[in-house]
Amino acid sequence: MKNQKKKSFPRRVFLWLLAILLAVCIAFGVYVSDYYHADPAAEDAMVSGMNLQ
């Protein structure tokens, strides 16, 4: 068997934090990109200048 050096503790912590940050960024991107577009009737109501009170 070859002698394998363990990765240093700070390097492991850095890699874990980097992986968590990447997962959070991907989750945020998915969350932000998932939205409903406005209904055409709602867009027409806004353009027509109707007072909706």
Side-chain angles (χ1 to χ4, degrees):
M1 285 181 103
K2 294 181 180 178
N3 267 343
Q4 294 180 353
K5 290 186 178 181
K6 278 189 167 183
K7 291 182 181 177
S8 66
F9 180 74
R11 182 174 176 176
R12 283 190 290 165
V13 170
F14 173 74
L15 289 176
W16 273 105
L17 290 176
L18 188 64
I20 291 169
L21 180 65
L22 181 64
V24 168
C25 288
I26 290 172
F28 180 74
V30 169
Y31 173 74
V32 170
S33 69
D34 184 30
Y35 63 95
Y36 294 102
H37 295 283
D39 190 51
E43 290 176 352
D44 291 341
M46 288 182 67
V47 170
S48 68
M50 294 172 48
N51 279 337
L52 302 174
Q53 293 181 350

